[in-house]
Amino acid sequence: MATKKEDKYLRTRKIREAEEATCSRRSKITMAVIRVRFPDNYTSEATFHASETIQSPVDLLTKVVAHPELPFYLYTIPPKKQIKETSQDFYSAGFVPGAIVYFAYDMPEGEDGSAPSSPFLREDVLSMLGLEFVKEQVETSQQEPEPPISISSVVPEVKPAADKKKIKPKWLKM
């Protein structure tokens, strides 16, 4: 009952910062689900440890995008904020327990070698549409073992069209 009573009240910024400093909340949430949404409405989802850096999904994206040689960046909305500091961990970036980040190529629009429009993912990744797998942990004596990363299916995001009739309500008088 005491814990419920504490959660009942609003906290000031100073109290919230003190809680974050004690890492009590960090110990509860250990995984972060990151969804990367591509301009062609495909979404890739991966699960990372909350203590990993933002560089982890960037490394993963270089393996699955169709043109890894082209510079790209990740951003969040609203408002559009480009993720520049990849050395930050997910918790301090506010990506725990989950986040949706957006993918874009870092190229000017008017250039001759304009950014490719579609597809953004490699063909072998698109062929796994609907499948789910877990990358197995590989341990070597020279390097630290990579944490297990589960990558779920790449799903096209389709928004239903609004087919509503424009009917004037009876109470509205014009």
Side-chain angles (χ1 to χ4, degrees):
M1 299 235 345
T3 58
K4 287 186 179 182
K5 194 172 186 180
E6 288 176 10
D7 291 340
K8 192 176 183 181
Y9 301 106
L10 296 175
R11 296 182 204 109
T12 63
R13 180 185 297 170
K14 192 173 186 179
I15 294 172
R16 285 193 307 261
E17 289 173 354
E19 283 181 356
E20 288 177 7
T22 60
C23 298
S24 63
R25 291 177 52 199
R26 283 187 182 217
S27 63
K28 292 179 186 175
I29 302 173
T30 59
M31 301 302 278
V33 178
I34 306 298
R35 291 186 177 127
V36 180
R37 194 165 289 165
F38 294 92
D40 56 354
N41 287 336
Y42 280 98
T43 300
S44 177
E45 181 179 300
T47 303
F48 299 96
H49 290 284
S51 59
E52 286 187 64
T53 61
I54 298 175
Q55 186 64 39
S56 300
V58 171
D59 293 339
L60 180 67
L61 285 173
T62 56
K63 295 177 185 176
V64 298
V65 295
H67 304 283
E69 68 279 355
L70 296 176
F72 65 88
Y73 64 93
L74 300 175
Y75 63 95
T76 59
I77 59 170
K80 185 174 179 178
K81 181 182 173 188
Q82 187 172 347
I83 302 169
K84 294 180 180 179
E85 190 176 331
T86 57
S87 61
Q88 223 177 5
D89 66 338
F90 290 121
Y91 195 85
S92 59
F95 291 173
V96 173
I100 298 175
V101 295
Y102 295 86
F103 175 90
Y105 283 110
D106 195 12
M107 297 179 69
E109 296 272 333
E111 208 174 281
D112 287 340
S114 62
S117 60
S118 187
F120 288 90
L121 295 171
R122 290 190 339 213
E123 290 297 323
D124 58 338
V125 175
L126 289 174
S127 67
M128 294 186 300
L129 186 67
L131 297 178
E132 189 169 320
F133 66 94
V134 176
K135 181 180 175 183
E136 293 187 22
Q137 188 172 357
V138 179
E139 294 187 26
T140 60
S141 59
Q142 297 171 357
Q143 298 177 345
E144 288 185 14
E146 288 187 24
I149 300 172
S150 70
I151 302 171
S152 64
S153 63
V154 177
V155 181
E157 191 100 1
V158 179
K159 296 180 181 177
D163 292 333
K164 293 183 178 180
K165 295 179 182 177
K166 306 236 180 202
I167 300 174
K168 182 175 79 169
K170 292 179 182 178
W171 55 267
L172 180 64
K173 296 184 180 183
M174 292 176 102

